[in-house]
Amino acid sequence: MIRTATPADVPVIHAMVRELAAYEKALDEARATEQQLHDALFGERPAAFAHIAVDEESGAAVGFALWFLNFSTWRGVHGIYLEDLYVRPEARGGGHGKALLRALARICAERGYERLEWSVLDWNRPSIDFYRALGARPQDEWTVFRLTDGALAELGADGA
């Protein structure tokens, strides 16, 4: 079962974000607090949205998708950028990941969005194979760039 996240889900979303960061060998980079997630998802102007995968027998949250809107100047419409998709190891293979992606694809169809995009680490073969099986295709001609920390501050500094 997939449902829209509520404020009560923030602690479990935060825990799963940290689990995902550990899986991706980057736990030290996962600095978001529960309060920051709450504000981003449920504040005055939400910047992101989330869906929860729930185990139907236990009722426990076993996965989540956290996403936000992007915009294609080429297509002239919004799309969804999937920031995080995570299913706890003990629940993998139960269809939760596919159900989360299906829910986002349904939102795209209902709202006229023409893209559902995300990034995946190049060493994460199980996820890559899963996404390919769903019909997703890598955008091999694009390279992701990122500014953070000191480089971002330096570029944004006055007079720089």
Side-chain angles (χ1 to χ4, degrees):
M1 178 179 83
I2 306 301
R3 63 173 175 75
T4 303
T6 68
D9 293 312
V10 170
V12 75
I13 292 170
H14 184 259
M16 287 191 283
V17 165
R18 295 195 50 80
E19 292 170 25
L20 174 60
Y23 174 76
E24 292 182 347
K25 302 174 180 76
L27 184 57
D28 59 320
E29 295 178 41
R31 299 182 297 215
T33 66
E34 286 185 25
Q35 186 62 52
Q36 287 173 313
L37 286 174
H38 180 275
D39 292 348
L41 294 167
F42 304 106
E44 187 176 316
R45 288 184 301 202
F49 309 92
H51 285 76
I52 302 292
V54 177
D55 179 77
E56 291 184 13
E57 289 183 27
S58 69
V62 295
F64 79 104
L66 193 142
W67 56 278
F68 55 88
L69 295 180
N70 59 15
F71 184 81
S72 170
T73 57
W74 291 13
R75 300 228 175 174
V77 296
H78 282 291
I80 286 177
Y81 186 84
L82 176 60
E83 180 66 21
D84 287 334
L85 175 70
Y86 180 73
V87 175
R88 288 184 156 152
E90 64 274 11
R92 292 182 187 154
H96 303 293
K98 185 175 183 179
L100 285 162
L101 285 170
R102 180 176 280 127
L104 298 185
R106 191 172 295 122
I107 290 169
C108 287
E110 290 169 357
R111 298 181 187 177
Y113 302 161
E114 295 188 15
R115 289 183 179 167
L116 173 55
E117 298 179 309
W118 61 92
S119 296
V120 61
L121 291 165
D122 58 7
W123 57 259
N124 192 346
R125 199 78 232 158
S127 292
I128 291 168
D129 293 343
F130 169 68
Y131 298 142
R132 283 182 180 272
L134 296 177
R137 295 294 166 247
Q139 301 297 298
D140 294 332
E141 66 275 14
W142 293 90
T143 300
V144 175
F145 280 82
R146 178 177 295 161
L147 278 170
T148 61
D149 303 324
L152 178 61
E154 183 178 330
L155 183 61
D158 287 342

